[in-house]
Amino acid sequence: MTKDSKETRGSVVSRRDFLEWVSAAMVSVPWREAPCAMPAPMAFFADAETAGPNFRLRPHYRAKPPLEEVIRKVQPGLDAFVSEKYAEEIEGVLKAWTAAFARNPPDLETIRKSLSPQLAAFSPGSAEERLLRSYSGLEIRRARIPGGPPLGREFFVRDLASSFSVFSRFTTAEFKVMSLRLLAASPQVIQTRIRYDLVGPGTASFLEQRVGEWEIEWERSPQGDLRVRTWKAVEETRAGATGPIFSDITASVLGGNSSYAAQLLRGTDYWRSVLDAASGIDVYGNNGVAVGDIDNDGFDDLYVCQPAGLPNRLYRNRGNGTLVDVTDEAGVGVLDSTACALFADFNNDGFQDLLVVRSSGPLLFLNQKNGKFQLKTGAFRFAQPPQGTFTGAAVADYDRDGWLDVYFCLYLYYQGLDQYRFPVPYDDAQNGPPNFLFRNNG
């Protein structure tokens, strides 16, 4: 080996030295200050000499995923809707109130801790009630809370406990922020309207319910948390029942039909384990029902939509509190996944027809006035092929020509990252497929 070749070989850098040198460059250390004894940068970068002593290695990272910007905005306060972070903070307080009402007796100390020592609140116990209706053991009253001298924190908590004394306990205590407005930034004051729903057994009744709204102003305390500084009841509806209002009669109404036990009582999880996936059955469920008088006997009949692979069922009302399955006779046992259905008189013959909204498209069955329905082929001709899944429909005579028209709603379910388009911003999504409006030509 010649002397020249040895010198050339001596300038070759080992892998370890090279990686150490590159790691120093990655943390933006100037080339001249690199801790490794390395050859001049010229050995690696042809433009190092022209770059000067402040040259930095600028690595090119992969492009950000399209979802990254959307996910970043999921956290309240990081987008244009700054008030969302205040709503989230207040909702945290409301969740604590829900937990407090779930205890027996209610933990009003949790409510008291949320109140400012300088609270000004109007007494909910001084409400003026007006009877709205009374029937079958149910009374509904509208309460108006008049203005008056505001109460301080301790008096208000005692008055609140007194107004809730009609409940023996609470089975439901829900609070929701309906509106929010920032009144002042420093010190921070936030005005909200809170909707509440309180339900539970009464001390002198079977069930009590209170539904209404509060106007509540919050202020930022020196400790940094939000506390209520004013509390005013806007309106309240009060209901009391002396006994059960609703009772489940499904079994007595439908139990005489074999399809009730064989199909309707089994859930989607069961049928997904039994039916072949080729039938199209999925996990969504939530198939609808339609109610209408198909034979003009004055009793409403029932059409039950089912998942793919199970026939929809039509039950005729016998007028004696029971329904009989007439699906096969009527010819409306559609097997396709059905989102919903509607009974309406589309041909103005005085009998209600049946619109079945399958996930893949609508079907119109015309009432033959003899207990049978006939499929109307070509009833819906789309100007453009539908691009999504049919999820719903509405019927109305929008042009007032005396014929009922139909509006179809569609949705594009998640199809994978390579096909799905993420809306930005999410609350103003414009990425759904077009809906369709059909005018009835008679």
Side-chain angles (χ1 to χ4, degrees), residues 3 45 60 72 103 119 121 151 216 246 257 282 338 359:
K3 180 180 179 180
F45 300 97
H60 294 281
R72 188 183 69 83
R103 299 186 180 96
L119 173 75
L151 300 177
I216 296 180
F246 298 99
N257 302 283
D282 55 35
T338 305
S359 299

Side-chain angles (χ1 to χ4, degrees), residues 131 133-141 166 200-210 238-246:
L131 181 65
R133 60 181 64 91
S134 176
Y135 60 93
S136 301
L138 175 66
E139 278 195 357
I140 302 175
R141 299 176 180 272
V166 296
T203 54
S205 61
F206 176 77
L207 196 68
E208 291 286 334
Q209 182 175 20
R210 301 286 186 271
R238 301 175 175 180
T242 58
I245 303 300
F246 298 99

Side-chain angles (χ1 to χ4, degrees), residues 77-89:
L78 293 183
D79 54 14
F81 304 95
V82 181
S83 60
E84 286 183 350
K85 66 180 181 181
Y86 305 134
E88 183 184 45
E89 185 176 357

Side-chain angles (χ1 to χ4, degrees), residues 97-98 100-108 160-161 163-175 196-202 207-210:
W97 291 4
T98 296
F101 275 93
R103 299 186 180 96
N104 191 17
D107 178 19
L108 293 182
L160 197 65
S163 66
F164 292 150
S165 61
V166 296
F167 293 90
S168 61
R169 61 185 177 89
F170 291 96
T171 56
T172 299
E174 297 178 349
F175 308 95
Y196 61 92
D197 188 357
L198 303 172
V199 184
L207 196 68
E208 291 286 334
Q209 182 175 20
R210 301 286 186 271

Side-chain angles (χ1 to χ4, degrees), residues 261-307:
Q263 293 183 16
L264 301 187
L265 286 184
R266 302 181 185 274
T268 302
D269 290 341
Y270 169 81
W271 287 114
R272 289 186 71 239
S273 66
V274 173
L275 295 178
D276 193 309
S279 68
I281 190 169
D282 55 35
V283 299
Y284 296 107
N286 301 319
N287 305 84
V289 299
V291 175
D293 185 3
I294 63 172
D295 49 9
N296 288 349
D297 63 353
F299 296 98
D300 283 334
D301 309 299
L302 177 68
Y303 187 76
V304 180
C305 306
Q306 300 216 76

Side-chain angles (χ1 to χ4, degrees), residues 98-417:
T98 296
F101 275 93
R103 299 186 180 96
N104 191 17
D107 178 19
L108 293 182
E109 178 62 19
T110 299
I111 308 295
R112 194 188 74 83
K113 290 179 179 179
S114 306
L115 308 178
S116 168
Q118 291 77 40
L119 173 75
F122 293 95
S123 170
S126 59
E128 300 173 355
E129 291 188 350
R130 177 171 61 90
L131 181 65
L132 296 181
R133 60 181 64 91
S134 176
Y135 60 93
S136 301
L138 175 66
E139 278 195 357
I140 302 175
R141 299 176 180 272
R142 179 68 50 80
R144 187 181 70 87
I145 291 82
L151 300 177
R153 180 170 64 178
E154 305 305 327
F155 283 101
F156 175 71
V157 172
R158 287 199 292 268
D159 199 75
L160 197 65
S162 176
S163 66
F164 292 150
S165 61
V166 296
F167 293 90
S168 61
R169 61 185 177 89
F170 291 96
T171 56
T172 299
E174 297 178 349
F175 308 95
K176 183 177 179 60
V177 178
M178 303 301 294
S179 65
L180 183 148
R181 186 161 64 99
L182 183 64
L183 297 182
S186 182
Q188 201 171 76
V189 178
I190 301 170
Q191 183 185 65
T192 60
R193 179 166 287 208
I194 308 296
R195 177 179 172 83
Y196 61 92
D197 188 357
L198 303 172
V199 184
T203 54
S205 61
F206 176 77
L207 196 68
E208 291 286 334
Q209 182 175 20
R210 301 286 186 271
V211 178
E213 292 185 354
W214 295 319
E215 279 187 359
I216 296 180
E217 287 187 7
W218 309 74
E219 64 179 1
R220 186 72 63 183
S221 71
Q223 292 75 27
D225 59 339
L226 287 175
R227 296 192 182 182
V228 178
R229 75 169 192 172
T230 65
W231 185 317
K232 179 183 178 181
V234 179
E235 63 178 11
E236 183 176 86
T237 301
R238 301 175 175 180
T242 58
I245 303 300
F246 298 99
S247 57
D248 187 354
I249 59 172
T250 310
S252 62
V253 173
L254 292 171
N257 302 283
S258 60
S259 59
Y260 172 69
Q263 293 183 16
L264 301 187
L265 286 184
R266 302 181 185 274
T268 302
D269 290 341
Y270 169 81
W271 287 114
R272 289 186 71 239
S273 66
V274 173
L275 295 178
D276 193 309
S279 68
I281 190 169
D282 55 35
V283 299
Y284 296 107
N286 301 319
N287 305 84
V289 299
V291 175
D293 185 3
I294 63 172
D295 49 9
N296 288 349
D297 63 353
F299 296 98
D300 283 334
D301 309 299
L302 177 68
Y303 187 76
V304 180
C305 306
Q306 300 216 76
L310 296 174
N312 298 341
R313 313 303 307 189
L314 175 61
Y315 295 95
R316 183 176 59 81
N317 194 330
R318 287 173 168 160
N320 61 355
T322 63
L323 300 176
V324 59
D325 191 340
V326 294
T327 306
D328 294 337
E329 301 94 302
V332 290
V334 178
L335 280 169
D336 298 324
S337 178
T338 305
C340 65
L342 290 170
F343 283 113
D345 185 5
F346 290 100
N347 56 3
N348 287 351
D349 64 352
F351 282 77
Q352 291 189 331
D353 308 302
L354 177 62
L355 173 64
V356 177
V357 183
R358 303 173 302 167
S359 299
S360 57
L363 298 175
L364 178 61
F365 292 90
L366 297 180
N367 195 327
Q368 301 301 295
K369 310 175 188 178
N370 57 359
K372 300 181 184 298
F373 287 81
Q374 182 176 352
L375 177 64
K376 175 69 174 179
T377 58
F380 302 99
R381 298 175 182 175
F382 292 87
Q384 296 180 350
Q387 301 175 26
T389 300
F390 287 79
T391 58
V395 172
D397 182 10
Y398 81 92
D399 53 1
R400 298 186 179 183
D401 63 352
W403 300 89
L404 290 176
D405 312 298
V406 187
Y407 186 78
F408 292 109
C409 300
L410 286 81
Y411 185 75
L412 185 64
Y413 288 97
Y414 180 76
Q415 296 179 338
L417 290 175

